[in-house]
Amino acid sequence: DQQVKQNSPSLSVQEGRISILNCDYTNSMFDYFLWYKKYPAEGPTFLISISSIKDKNEDGRFTVFLNKSAKHLSLHIVPSQPGDSAVYFCAASKAGTALIFGKGTTLSVSS
Amino acid sequence: DTAVSQTPKYLVTQMGNDKSIKCEQNLGHDTMYWYKQDSKKFLKIMFSYNNKELIINETVPNRFSPKSPDKAHLNLHINSLELGDSAVYFCASSPRTRVSTGELFFGEGSRLTVL
């Protein structure tokens, strides 16, 4: 059963515009959420995180929004840059388990 | 200076063989993990060790045996390889047992192909 879902396998955006990547989860016990970025032939790297006690966390061009009632989070990248082209994984955490990842969304930013 | 390094990066082998993937981290972290990314692209946890002690063991066939000789190393040995074992295996480490306020540091992955 997929506890973390990224329903859009891919997203294409023009440089300078906003990229919005979405993630849904099913387990209300998750209390920490993270986004990872992965380039080809590399391991995922941590991007940004948010605790369930917050609804927004911002780091430069990256903002993560959490809607607990909808069990939904999103990653906003603005402005998008060609170097942002990568696979983005959403991940969730609860006590007693390792991170549970979604399937990833491939973002392509064209110049 | 690679923080989490895995060897080999690529491994092609026949069904029925036994193979190992090694992982080392120089971050001083106490917790290490093995994740598997299969053809459907899911990153799934397999094992987690904290200070050489197994703390997470997901539903993985017992053909897979992790070994942690010290807290900087976590190796993965796979016996009697099957076609379905073909995947990319990622090693990771974190400074805490609970990856909540911290995050995972991943290696580059080891692509295993079973023929």
Side-chain angles (χ1 to χ4, degrees):
Chain A
D1 63 334
Q2 295 179 51
Q3 297 187 64
V4 178
K5 301 178 188 179
Q6 294 177 257
N7 293 320
S8 298
S10 62
L11 175 67
S12 294
V13 171
Q14 280 194 317
E15 182 178 8
R17 308 293 286 266
I18 186 170
S19 296
I20 301 176
L21 297 109
N22 293 305
C23 178
D24 296 297
Y25 61 95
T26 58
N27 194 329
S28 57
M29 298 298 291
F30 288 140
D31 59 0
Y32 212 80
F33 304 88
L34 303 91
W35 284 94
Y36 283 77
K37 178 179 177 179
K38 183 184 180 304
Y39 292 117
E42 293 184 11
T45 54
F46 171 73
L47 191 56
I48 192 169
S49 62
I50 188 166
S51 162
S52 61
I53 62 172
K54 296 185 176 180
D55 54 18
K56 178 182 173 181
N57 188 27
E58 193 170 349
D59 183 3
R61 296 185 297 113
F62 302 91
T63 304
V64 56
F65 295 92
L66 175 63
N67 182 334
K68 280 185 296 185
S69 60
K71 294 194 181 70
H72 177 84
L73 63 154
S74 60
L75 174 68
H76 292 211
I77 307 172
V78 56
S80 301
Q81 299 173 354
D84 296 330
S85 297
V87 179
Y88 289 79
F89 289 97
C90 171
S93 167
K94 63 184 172 94
T97 69
L99 282 187
I100 298 172
F101 286 83
K103 210 167 164 178
T105 297
T106 300
L107 174 64
S108 300
V109 181
S110 56
S111 53
Chain B
D1 199 19
T2 307
V4 181
S5 59
Q6 302 177 222
T7 54
K9 288 190 172 40
Y10 300 95
L11 187 53
V12 181
T13 188
Q14 300 286 331
M15 270 175 50
N17 284 349
D18 303 338
K19 290 293 177 188
S20 292
I21 306 171
K22 295 185 177 181
C23 179
E24 176 182 3
Q25 55 96 3
N26 62 8
L27 297 167
H29 290 167
D30 285 338
T31 309
M32 295 185 72
Y33 306 80
W34 278 109
Y35 276 83
K36 176 181 179 181
Q37 186 179 32
D38 59 22
S39 58
K40 294 182 180 175
K41 305 301 182 188
F42 280 107
L43 266 169
K44 291 183 182 175
I45 181 69
M46 299 175 70
F47 302 102
S48 173
Y49 270 73
N50 178 256
N51 221 350
K52 302 193 298 174
E53 186 178 335
L54 181 66
I55 55 172
I56 292 176
N57 184 353
E58 291 295 308
T59 310
V60 176
N62 55 16
R63 297 183 294 104
F64 290 78
S65 51
K67 288 207 171 32
S68 182
D70 55 61
K71 74 174 193 176
H73 295 83
L74 180 61
N75 303 323
L76 183 64
H77 188 76
I78 315 170
N79 289 329
S80 304
L81 279 157
E82 300 177 357
L83 293 176
D85 298 332
S86 296
V88 182
Y89 292 85
F90 287 98
C91 177
S93 72
S94 71
R96 284 167 280 273
T97 305
R98 170 80 203 277
V99 185
S100 54
T101 55
E103 67 266 8
L104 289 179
F105 292 78
F106 282 89
E108 291 182 336
S110 297
R111 181 176 291 278
L112 171 66
T113 303
V114 182
L115 303 175

